[in-house]
PDB file of all heavy atoms in Angstrom:
ATOM      1  N   PRO A 371     216.467  12.024  -7.354  1.00 96.00           N
ATOM      2  CA  PRO A 371     217.021  12.338  -8.682  1.00 96.00           C
ATOM      3  C   PRO A 371     217.198  13.826  -8.966  1.00 96.00           C
ATOM      4  O   PRO A 371     217.937  14.185  -9.876  1.00 96.00           O
ATOM      5  CB  PRO A 371     216.015  11.718  -9.655  1.00 96.00           C
ATOM      6  CG  PRO A 371     214.768  11.509  -8.873  1.00 96.00           C
ATOM      7  CD  PRO A 371     215.171  11.332  -7.438  1.00 96.00           C
ATOM      8  N   LEU A 372     216.540  14.685  -8.172  1.00 96.00           N
ATOM      9  CA  LEU A 372     216.780  16.119  -8.389  1.00 96.00           C
ATOM     10  C   LEU A 372     218.014  16.581  -7.624  1.00 96.00           C
ATOM     11  O   LEU A 372     218.468  17.710  -7.773  1.00 96.00           O
ATOM     12  CB  LEU A 372     215.567  16.952  -7.942  1.00 96.00           C
ATOM     13  CG  LEU A 372     214.284  16.748  -8.740  1.00 96.00           C
ATOM     14  CD1 LEU A 372     213.253  17.793  -8.367  1.00 96.00           C
ATOM     15  CD2 LEU A 372     214.537  16.784 -10.260  1.00 96.00           C
ATOM     16  N   HIS A 373     218.544  15.713  -6.764  1.00 97.00           N
ATOM     17  CA  HIS A 373     219.719  16.076  -5.946  1.00 97.00           C
ATOM     18  C   HIS A 373     220.857  15.124  -6.347  1.00 97.00           C
ATOM     19  O   HIS A 373     221.192  15.026  -7.526  1.00 97.00           O
ATOM     20  CB  HIS A 373     219.295  15.997  -4.476  1.00 97.00           C
ATOM     21  CG  HIS A 373     220.267  16.553  -3.491  1.00 97.00           C
ATOM     22  ND1 HIS A 373     221.287  17.401  -3.812  1.00 97.00           N
ATOM     23  CD2 HIS A 373     220.369  16.377  -2.131  1.00 97.00           C
ATOM     24  CE1 HIS A 373     221.967  17.732  -2.721  1.00 97.00           C
ATOM     25  NE2 HIS A 373     221.425  17.109  -1.690  1.00 97.00           N
ATOM     26  N   GLY A 374     221.426  14.383  -5.399  1.00 97.00           N
ATOM     27  CA  GLY A 374     222.588  13.528  -5.708  1.00 97.00           C
ATOM     28  C   GLY A 374     222.283  12.416  -6.685  1.00 97.00           C
ATOM     29  O   GLY A 374     223.172  11.946  -7.411  1.00 97.00           O
ATOM     30  N   ALA A 376     220.924  12.582  -9.342  1.00 97.00           N
ATOM     31  CA  ALA A 376     221.001  13.044 -10.734  1.00 97.00           C
ATOM     32  C   ALA A 376     222.208  12.452 -11.459  1.00 97.00           C
ATOM     33  O   ALA A 376     222.181  12.295 -12.682  1.00 97.00           O
ATOM     34  CB  ALA A 376     221.043  14.576 -10.788  1.00 97.00           C
ATOM     35  N   ALA A 401     213.372  17.439 -22.627  1.00 97.00           N
ATOM     36  CA  ALA A 401     213.662  18.204 -21.395  1.00 97.00           C
ATOM     37  C   ALA A 401     212.874  19.515 -21.361  1.00 97.00           C
ATOM     38  O   ALA A 401     212.524  20.011 -20.294  1.00 97.00           O
ATOM     39  CB  ALA A 401     215.156  18.476 -21.299  1.00 97.00           C
ATOM     40  N   LYS A 402     212.590  20.055 -22.550  1.00 98.00           N
ATOM     41  CA  LYS A 402     211.888  21.350 -22.603  1.00 98.00           C
ATOM     42  C   LYS A 402     210.374  21.187 -22.551  1.00 98.00           C
ATOM     43  O   LYS A 402     209.652  22.155 -22.353  1.00 98.00           O
ATOM     44  CB  LYS A 402     212.272  22.089 -23.908  1.00 98.00           C
ATOM     45  CG  LYS A 402     213.731  22.496 -23.930  1.00 98.00           C
ATOM     46  CD  LYS A 402     214.056  23.375 -25.123  1.00 98.00           C
ATOM     47  CE  LYS A 402     214.180  22.626 -26.411  1.00 98.00           C
ATOM     48  NZ  LYS A 402     214.612  23.442 -27.549  1.00 98.00           N
ATOM     49  N   LYS A 404     207.044  20.706 -21.157  1.00 96.00           N
ATOM     50  CA  LYS A 404     206.502  20.896 -19.808  1.00 96.00           C
ATOM     51  C   LYS A 404     205.469  19.839 -19.436  1.00 96.00           C
ATOM     52  O   LYS A 404     205.051  19.760 -18.281  1.00 96.00           O
ATOM     53  CB  LYS A 404     205.873  22.291 -19.672  1.00 96.00           C
ATOM     54  CG  LYS A 404     206.864  23.411 -19.823  1.00 96.00           C
ATOM     55  CD  LYS A 404     207.837  23.429 -18.656  1.00 96.00           C
ATOM     56  CE  LYS A 404     208.927  24.465 -18.839  1.00 96.00           C
ATOM     57  NZ  LYS A 404     210.040  24.288 -17.932  1.00 96.00           N
ATOM     58  N   PHE A 408     210.567  14.557 -17.579  1.00 95.00           N
ATOM     59  CA  PHE A 408     211.991  14.391 -17.917  1.00 95.00           C
ATOM     60  C   PHE A 408     212.706  15.743 -17.892  1.00 95.00           C
ATOM     61  O   PHE A 408     212.149  16.764 -18.280  1.00 95.00           O
ATOM     62  CB  PHE A 408     212.111  13.764 -19.310  1.00 95.00           C
ATOM     63  CG  PHE A 408     213.538  13.546 -19.740  1.00 95.00           C
ATOM     64  CD1 PHE A 408     214.234  12.419 -19.332  1.00 95.00           C
ATOM     65  CD2 PHE A 408     214.190  14.478 -20.540  1.00 95.00           C
ATOM     66  CE1 PHE A 408     215.558  12.221 -19.723  1.00 95.00           C
ATOM     67  CE2 PHE A 408     215.512  14.291 -20.931  1.00 95.00           C
ATOM     68  CZ  PHE A 408     216.189  13.151 -20.522  1.00 95.00           C
ATOM     69  N   ARG A 409     213.941  15.742 -17.399  1.00 96.00           N
ATOM     70  CA  ARG A 409     214.750  16.972 -17.420  1.00 96.00           C
ATOM     71  C   ARG A 409     216.104  16.665 -18.027  1.00 96.00           C
ATOM     72  O   ARG A 409     216.485  15.492 -18.107  1.00 96.00           O
ATOM     73  CB  ARG A 409     214.959  17.478 -15.996  1.00 96.00           C
ATOM     74  CG  ARG A 409     213.669  17.996 -15.415  1.00 96.00           C
ATOM     75  CD  ARG A 409     213.878  18.828 -14.190  1.00 96.00           C
ATOM     76  NE  ARG A 409     212.689  19.651 -13.971  1.00 96.00           N
ATOM     77  CZ  ARG A 409     212.625  20.635 -13.114  1.00 96.00           C
ATOM     78  NH1 ARG A 409     213.649  20.959 -12.375  1.00 96.00           N
ATOM     79  NH2 ARG A 409     211.518  21.331 -12.984  1.00 96.00           N
ATOM     80  N   LEU A 410     216.795  17.689 -18.410  1.00 97.00           N
ATOM     81  CA  LEU A 410     218.172  17.483 -18.845  1.00 97.00           C
ATOM     82  C   LEU A 410     218.970  17.328 -17.560  1.00 97.00           C
ATOM     83  O   LEU A 410     219.364  18.319 -16.922  1.00 97.00           O
ATOM     84  CB  LEU A 410     218.668  18.670 -19.678  1.00 97.00           C
ATOM     85  CG  LEU A 410     220.104  18.531 -20.189  1.00 97.00           C
ATOM     86  CD1 LEU A 410     220.281  17.289 -21.053  1.00 97.00           C
ATOM     87  CD2 LEU A 410     220.516  19.773 -20.973  1.00 97.00           C
ATOM     88  N   TYR A 411     219.160  16.071 -17.144  1.00 97.00           N
ATOM     89  CA  TYR A 411     219.814  15.826 -15.857  1.00 97.00           C
ATOM     90  C   TYR A 411     221.255  16.311 -15.909  1.00 97.00           C
ATOM     91  O   TYR A 411     221.917  16.238 -16.939  1.00 97.00           O
ATOM     92  CB  TYR A 411     219.707  14.336 -15.492  1.00 97.00           C
ATOM     93  CG  TYR A 411     218.285  13.978 -15.127  1.00 97.00           C
ATOM     94  CD1 TYR A 411     217.447  13.341 -16.043  1.00 97.00           C
ATOM     95  CD2 TYR A 411     217.767  14.359 -13.904  1.00 97.00           C
ATOM     96  CE1 TYR A 411     216.125  13.073 -15.716  1.00 97.00           C
ATOM     97  CE2 TYR A 411     216.445  14.093 -13.572  1.00 97.00           C
ATOM     98  CZ  TYR A 411     215.633  13.451 -14.481  1.00 97.00           C
ATOM     99  OH  TYR A 411     214.323  13.200 -14.161  1.00 97.00           O
ATOM    100  N   GLY A 412     221.705  16.831 -14.746  1.00 97.00           N
ATOM    101  CA  GLY A 412     223.056  17.385 -14.693  1.00 97.00           C
ATOM    102  C   GLY A 412     223.101  18.830 -15.154  1.00 97.00           C
ATOM    103  O   GLY A 412     224.175  19.417 -15.284  1.00 97.00           O
ATOM    104  N   PHE A 413     221.943  19.406 -15.408  1.00 97.00           N
ATOM    105  CA  PHE A 413     221.846  20.814 -15.820  1.00 97.00           C
ATOM    106  C   PHE A 413     220.935  21.557 -14.847  1.00 97.00           C
ATOM    107  O   PHE A 413     219.926  21.022 -14.381  1.00 97.00           O
ATOM    108  CB  PHE A 413     221.250  20.938 -17.226  1.00 97.00           C
ATOM    109  CG  PHE A 413     222.270  21.263 -18.268  1.00 97.00           C
ATOM    110  CD1 PHE A 413     223.189  20.316 -18.666  1.00 97.00           C
ATOM    111  CD2 PHE A 413     222.323  22.536 -18.837  1.00 97.00           C
ATOM    112  CE1 PHE A 413     224.147  20.612 -19.629  1.00 97.00           C
ATOM    113  CE2 PHE A 413     223.270  22.847 -19.798  1.00 97.00           C
ATOM    114  CZ  PHE A 413     224.189  21.882 -20.202  1.00 97.00           C
ATOM    115  N   GLY A 414     221.295  22.806 -14.566  1.00 97.00           N
ATOM    116  CA  GLY A 414     220.459  23.655 -13.726  1.00 97.00           C
ATOM    117  C   GLY A 414     220.861  23.547 -12.272  1.00 97.00           C
ATOM    118  O   GLY A 414     221.424  22.530 -11.832  1.00 97.00           O
ATOM    119  N   HIS A 415     220.615  24.586 -11.531  1.00 97.00           N
ATOM    120  CA  HIS A 415     220.958  24.597 -10.112  1.00 97.00           C
ATOM    121  C   HIS A 415     220.217  25.715  -9.416  1.00 97.00           C
ATOM    122  O   HIS A 415     220.025  26.782  -9.992  1.00 97.00           O
ATOM    123  CB  HIS A 415     222.482  24.800  -9.941  1.00 97.00           C
ATOM    124  CG  HIS A 415     222.967  24.386  -8.603  1.00 97.00           C
ATOM    125  ND1 HIS A 415     222.938  25.226  -7.526  1.00 97.00           N
ATOM    126  CD2 HIS A 415     223.469  23.204  -8.172  1.00 97.00           C
ATOM    127  CE1 HIS A 415     223.414  24.577  -6.482  1.00 97.00           C
ATOM    128  NE2 HIS A 415     223.744  23.351  -6.837  1.00 97.00           N
ATOM    129  N   ARG A 416     219.792  25.468  -8.180  1.00 95.00           N
ATOM    130  CA  ARG A 416     219.089  26.500  -7.426  1.00 95.00           C
ATOM    131  C   ARG A 416     219.972  27.735  -7.221  1.00 95.00           C
ATOM    132  O   ARG A 416     219.503  28.872  -7.294  1.00 95.00           O
ATOM    133  CB  ARG A 416     218.651  25.904  -6.073  1.00 95.00           C
ATOM    134  CG  ARG A 416     218.053  26.881  -5.080  1.00 95.00           C
ATOM    135  CD  ARG A 416     216.784  27.549  -5.564  1.00 95.00           C
ATOM    136  NE  ARG A 416     215.685  26.671  -5.868  1.00 95.00           N
ATOM    137  CZ  ARG A 416     214.857  26.107  -4.961  1.00 95.00           C
ATOM    138  NH1 ARG A 416     215.017  26.326  -3.689  1.00 95.00           N
ATOM    139  NH2 ARG A 416     213.858  25.344  -5.360  1.00 95.00           N
ATOM    140  N   LYS A 419     223.777  30.278 -11.340  1.00 96.00           N
ATOM    141  CA  LYS A 419     223.154  30.771 -12.575  1.00 96.00           C
ATOM    142  C   LYS A 419     224.284  30.997 -13.577  1.00 96.00           C
ATOM    143  O   LYS A 419     224.270  31.904 -14.400  1.00 96.00           O
ATOM    144  CB  LYS A 419     222.368  32.060 -12.306  1.00 96.00           C
ATOM    145  CG  LYS A 419     221.253  31.853 -11.283  1.00 96.00           C
ATOM    146  CD  LYS A 419     220.243  30.772 -11.695  1.00 96.00           C
ATOM    147  CE  LYS A 419     219.370  30.309 -10.536  1.00 96.00           C
ATOM    148  NZ  LYS A 419     218.726  29.017 -10.747  1.00 96.00           N
ATOM    149  N   ARG A 424     232.523  23.121 -10.241  1.00 97.00           N
ATOM    150  CA  ARG A 424     232.851  21.700 -10.051  1.00 97.00           C
ATOM    151  C   ARG A 424     232.697  20.944 -11.372  1.00 97.00           C
ATOM    152  O   ARG A 424     233.450  20.019 -11.665  1.00 97.00           O
ATOM    153  CB  ARG A 424     231.934  21.093  -8.975  1.00 97.00           C
ATOM    154  CG  ARG A 424     232.029  21.794  -7.643  1.00 97.00           C
ATOM    155  CD  ARG A 424     230.918  21.373  -6.708  1.00 97.00           C
ATOM    156  NE  ARG A 424     229.592  21.680  -7.238  1.00 97.00           N
ATOM    157  CZ  ARG A 424     228.454  21.305  -6.684  1.00 97.00           C
ATOM    158  NH1 ARG A 424     228.469  20.603  -5.576  1.00 97.00           N
ATOM    159  NH2 ARG A 424     227.289  21.620  -7.229  1.00 97.00           N
ATOM    160  N   TYR A 461     216.023  28.160 -24.589  1.00 98.00           N
ATOM    161  CA  TYR A 461     215.345  27.658 -23.381  1.00 98.00           C
ATOM    162  C   TYR A 461     216.338  27.629 -22.218  1.00 98.00           C
ATOM    163  O   TYR A 461     216.043  28.112 -21.120  1.00 98.00           O
ATOM    164  CB  TYR A 461     214.795  26.252 -23.649  1.00 98.00           C
ATOM    165  CG  TYR A 461     214.188  25.582 -22.423  1.00 98.00           C
ATOM    166  CD1 TYR A 461     212.822  25.646 -22.174  1.00 98.00           C
ATOM    167  CD2 TYR A 461     214.991  24.896 -21.510  1.00 98.00           C
ATOM    168  CE1 TYR A 461     212.269  25.036 -21.045  1.00 98.00           C
ATOM    169  CE2 TYR A 461     214.445  24.290 -20.378  1.00 98.00           C
ATOM    170  CZ  TYR A 461     213.092  24.365 -20.166  1.00 98.00           C
ATOM    171  OH  TYR A 461     212.547  23.773 -19.044  1.00 98.00           O
ATOM    172  N   PHE A 462     217.521  27.055 -22.467  1.00 98.00           N
ATOM    173  CA  PHE A 462     218.505  26.898 -21.387  1.00 98.00           C
ATOM    174  C   PHE A 462     219.224  28.224 -21.111  1.00 98.00           C
ATOM    175  O   PHE A 462     219.527  28.538 -19.964  1.00 98.00           O
ATOM    176  CB  PHE A 462     219.505  25.781 -21.752  1.00 98.00           C
ATOM    177  CG  PHE A 462     218.835  24.439 -21.795  1.00 98.00           C
ATOM    178  CD1 PHE A 462     218.284  23.948 -22.984  1.00 98.00           C
ATOM    179  CD2 PHE A 462     218.694  23.682 -20.649  1.00 98.00           C
ATOM    180  CE1 PHE A 462     217.625  22.730 -23.018  1.00 98.00           C
ATOM    181  CE2 PHE A 462     218.035  22.461 -20.669  1.00 98.00           C
ATOM    182  CZ  PHE A 462     217.499  21.986 -21.855  1.00 98.00           C
ATOM    183  N   ARG A 465     216.910  30.610 -19.095  1.00 98.00           N
ATOM    184  CA  ARG A 465     216.722  30.178 -17.703  1.00 98.00           C
ATOM    185  C   ARG A 465     218.051  30.051 -16.971  1.00 98.00           C
ATOM    186  O   ARG A 465     218.077  29.655 -15.810  1.00 98.00           O
ATOM    187  CB  ARG A 465     215.969  28.843 -17.671  1.00 98.00           C
ATOM    188  CG  ARG A 465     214.512  28.981 -18.071  1.00 98.00           C
ATOM    189  CD  ARG A 465     213.861  27.623 -18.235  1.00 98.00           C
ATOM    190  NE  ARG A 465     212.450  27.737 -18.581  1.00 98.00           N
ATOM    191  CZ  ARG A 465     211.961  28.089 -19.751  1.00 98.00           C
ATOM    192  NH1 ARG A 465     212.791  28.392 -20.740  1.00 98.00           N
ATOM    193  NH2 ARG A 465     210.666  28.159 -19.964  1.00 98.00           N
ATOM    194  N   LEU A 467     220.547  27.891 -17.335  1.00 98.00           N
ATOM    195  CA  LEU A 467     220.783  26.508 -16.926  1.00 98.00           C
ATOM    196  C   LEU A 467     222.121  26.046 -17.497  1.00 98.00           C
ATOM    197  O   LEU A 467     222.316  26.054 -18.715  1.00 98.00           O
ATOM    198  CB  LEU A 467     219.651  25.604 -17.432  1.00 98.00           C
ATOM    199  CG  LEU A 467     218.222  26.007 -17.005  1.00 98.00           C
ATOM    200  CD1 LEU A 467     217.173  25.173 -17.730  1.00 98.00           C
ATOM    201  CD2 LEU A 467     218.064  25.864 -15.499  1.00 98.00           C
ATOM    202  N   ASN A 470     225.827  21.144 -14.005  1.00 96.00           N
ATOM    203  CA  ASN A 470     226.143  21.120 -12.575  1.00 96.00           C
ATOM    204  C   ASN A 470     227.095  19.961 -12.286  1.00 96.00           C
ATOM    205  O   ASN A 470     227.505  19.240 -13.201  1.00 96.00           O
ATOM    206  CB  ASN A 470     224.851  21.077 -11.740  1.00 96.00           C
ATOM    207  CG  ASN A 470     224.034  19.812 -11.996  1.00 96.00           C
ATOM    208  OD1 ASN A 470     224.570  18.709 -12.025  1.00 96.00           O
ATOM    209  ND2 ASN A 470     222.727  19.981 -12.198  1.00 96.00           N
ATOM    210  N   VAL A 471     227.402  19.758 -11.026  1.00 96.00           N
ATOM    211  CA  VAL A 471     228.424  18.776 -10.631  1.00 96.00           C
ATOM    212  C   VAL A 471     228.135  17.378 -11.182  1.00 96.00           C
ATOM    213  O   VAL A 471     229.048  16.589 -11.443  1.00 96.00           O
ATOM    214  CB  VAL A 471     228.575  18.746  -9.082  1.00 96.00           C
ATOM    215  CG1 VAL A 471     227.324  18.210  -8.409  1.00 96.00           C
ATOM    216  CG2 VAL A 471     229.795  17.983  -8.638  1.00 96.00           C
ATOM    217  N   ASP A 472     226.839  17.060 -11.355  1.00 96.00           N
ATOM    218  CA  ASP A 472     226.480  15.702 -11.758  1.00 96.00           C
ATOM    219  C   ASP A 472     226.656  15.425 -13.245  1.00 96.00           C
ATOM    220  O   ASP A 472     226.569  14.276 -13.664  1.00 96.00           O
ATOM    221  CB  ASP A 472     225.016  15.424 -11.369  1.00 96.00           C
ATOM    222  CG  ASP A 472     224.837  15.409  -9.869  1.00 96.00           C
ATOM    223  OD1 ASP A 472     225.669  14.783  -9.199  1.00 96.00           O
ATOM    224  OD2 ASP A 472     223.878  16.027  -9.370  1.00 96.00           O
ATOM    225  N   PHE A 493     228.939  10.001  -4.042  1.00 98.00           N
ATOM    226  CA  PHE A 493     228.595  11.387  -3.697  1.00 98.00           C
ATOM    227  C   PHE A 493     228.462  11.490  -2.170  1.00 98.00           C
ATOM    228  O   PHE A 493     228.990  12.409  -1.526  1.00 98.00           O
ATOM    229  CB  PHE A 493     227.271  11.751  -4.405  1.00 98.00           C
ATOM    230  CG  PHE A 493     226.893  13.203  -4.402  1.00 98.00           C
ATOM    231  CD1 PHE A 493     226.154  13.744  -5.465  1.00 98.00           C
ATOM    232  CD2 PHE A 493     227.224  14.050  -3.362  1.00 98.00           C
ATOM    233  CE1 PHE A 493     225.772  15.080  -5.478  1.00 98.00           C
ATOM    234  CE2 PHE A 493     226.846  15.399  -3.368  1.00 98.00           C
ATOM    235  CZ  PHE A 493     226.120  15.905  -4.414  1.00 98.00           C
TER     236      PHE A 493
HETATM  237  N1  LIG B 722     216.023  20.538 -17.694  1.00 94.49           N
HETATM  238  C1  LIG B 722     214.962  21.205 -18.199  1.00 94.49           C
HETATM  239  N2  LIG B 722     214.406  22.283 -17.591  1.00 94.49           N
HETATM  240  C2  LIG B 722     214.951  22.682 -16.430  1.00 94.49           C
HETATM  241  C3  LIG B 722     216.052  22.043 -15.863  1.00 94.49           C
HETATM  242  C4  LIG B 722     216.597  20.929 -16.522  1.00 94.49           C
HETATM  243  N3  LIG B 722     217.647  20.265 -16.032  1.00 94.49           N
HETATM  244  N4  LIG B 722     216.374  22.649 -14.694  1.00 94.49           N
HETATM  245  C5  LIG B 722     215.508  23.665 -14.551  1.00 94.49           C
HETATM  246  N5  LIG B 722     214.649  23.697 -15.612  1.00 94.49           N
HETATM  247  C6  LIG B 722     213.607  24.678 -15.857  1.00 94.49           C
HETATM  248  C7  LIG B 722     212.382  24.455 -14.976  1.00 94.49           C
HETATM  249  O1  LIG B 722     211.460  23.597 -15.601  1.00 94.49           O
HETATM  250  C8  LIG B 722     211.870  25.867 -14.836  1.00 94.49           C
HETATM  251  O2  LIG B 722     211.219  26.237 -16.031  1.00 94.49           O
HETATM  252  P1  LIG B 722     209.979  27.272 -16.015  1.00 94.49           P
HETATM  253  O3  LIG B 722     210.532  28.555 -15.484  1.00 94.49           O
HETATM  254  O4  LIG B 722     209.534  27.319 -17.423  1.00 94.49           O
HETATM  255  O5  LIG B 722     208.954  26.654 -15.081  1.00 94.49           O
HETATM  256  C9  LIG B 722     213.146  26.696 -14.747  1.00 94.49           C
HETATM  257  O6  LIG B 722     214.127  25.951 -15.485  1.00 94.49           O
HETATM  258  C10 LIG B 722     213.642  26.929 -13.325  1.00 94.49           C
HETATM  259  O7  LIG B 722     213.860  25.674 -12.726  1.00 94.49           O
HETATM  260  P2  LIG B 722     213.385  25.271 -11.277  1.00 94.49           P
HETATM  261  O8  LIG B 722     212.942  23.842 -11.274  1.00 94.49           O
HETATM  262  O9  LIG B 722     212.419  26.281 -10.747  1.00 94.49           O
HETATM  263  O10 LIG B 722     214.753  25.411 -10.499  1.00 94.49           O
HETATM  264  P3  LIG B 722     215.042  24.882  -9.058  1.00 94.49           P
HETATM  265  O11 LIG B 722     216.026  25.798  -8.481  1.00 94.49           O
HETATM  266  O12 LIG B 722     213.797  24.636  -8.300  1.00 94.49           O
HETATM  267  O13 LIG B 722     215.673  23.437  -9.335  1.00 94.49           O
HETATM  268  C11 LIG B 722     217.182  21.775  -9.961  1.00 94.49           C
HETATM  269  C12 LIG B 722     217.009  23.208  -9.445  1.00 94.49           C
HETATM  270  C13 LIG B 722     216.353  20.796  -9.100  1.00 94.49           C
HETATM  271  C14 LIG B 722     218.630  21.393  -9.818  1.00 94.49           C
HETATM  272  C15 LIG B 722     216.740  21.716 -11.439  1.00 94.49           C
HETATM  273  O14 LIG B 722     217.571  22.560 -12.210  1.00 94.49           O
HETATM  274  C16 LIG B 722     216.770  20.296 -11.997  1.00 94.49           C
HETATM  275  O15 LIG B 722     215.815  19.556 -11.829  1.00 94.49           O
HETATM  276  N6  LIG B 722     217.899  19.879 -12.655  1.00 94.49           N
HETATM  277  C17 LIG B 722     217.999  18.536 -13.148  1.00 94.49           C
HETATM  278  C18 LIG B 722     218.353  17.593 -12.006  1.00 94.49           C
HETATM  279  C19 LIG B 722     219.775  17.797 -11.549  1.00 94.49           C
HETATM  280  O16 LIG B 722     220.710  17.847 -12.333  1.00 94.49           O
HETATM  281  N7  LIG B 722     219.947  17.836 -10.214  1.00 94.49           N
HETATM  282  C20 LIG B 722     221.255  17.999  -9.593  1.00 94.49           C
HETATM  283  C21 LIG B 722     221.424  19.376  -9.020  1.00 94.49           C
HETATM  284  S1  LIG B 722     223.021  19.569  -8.295  1.00 94.49           S
HETATM  285  C22 LIG B 722     222.921  18.695  -6.883  1.00 94.49           C
HETATM  286  O17 LIG B 722     221.947  18.612  -6.224  1.00 94.49           O
HETATM  287  C23 LIG B 722     224.069  17.975  -6.500  1.00 94.49           C
END
Side-chain angles (χ1 to χ4, degrees):
L372 294 190
H373 190 18
K402 293 188 283 185
K404 296 292 175 194
F408 180 83
R409 291 196 161 191
L410 181 59
Y411 289 101
F413 255 72
H415 199 274
R416 173 62 60 79
K419 300 302 165 199
R424 302 168 299 173
Y461 174 95
F462 293 91
R465 289 171 178 74
L467 304 171
N470 63 46
V471 67
D472 294 315
F493 192 149

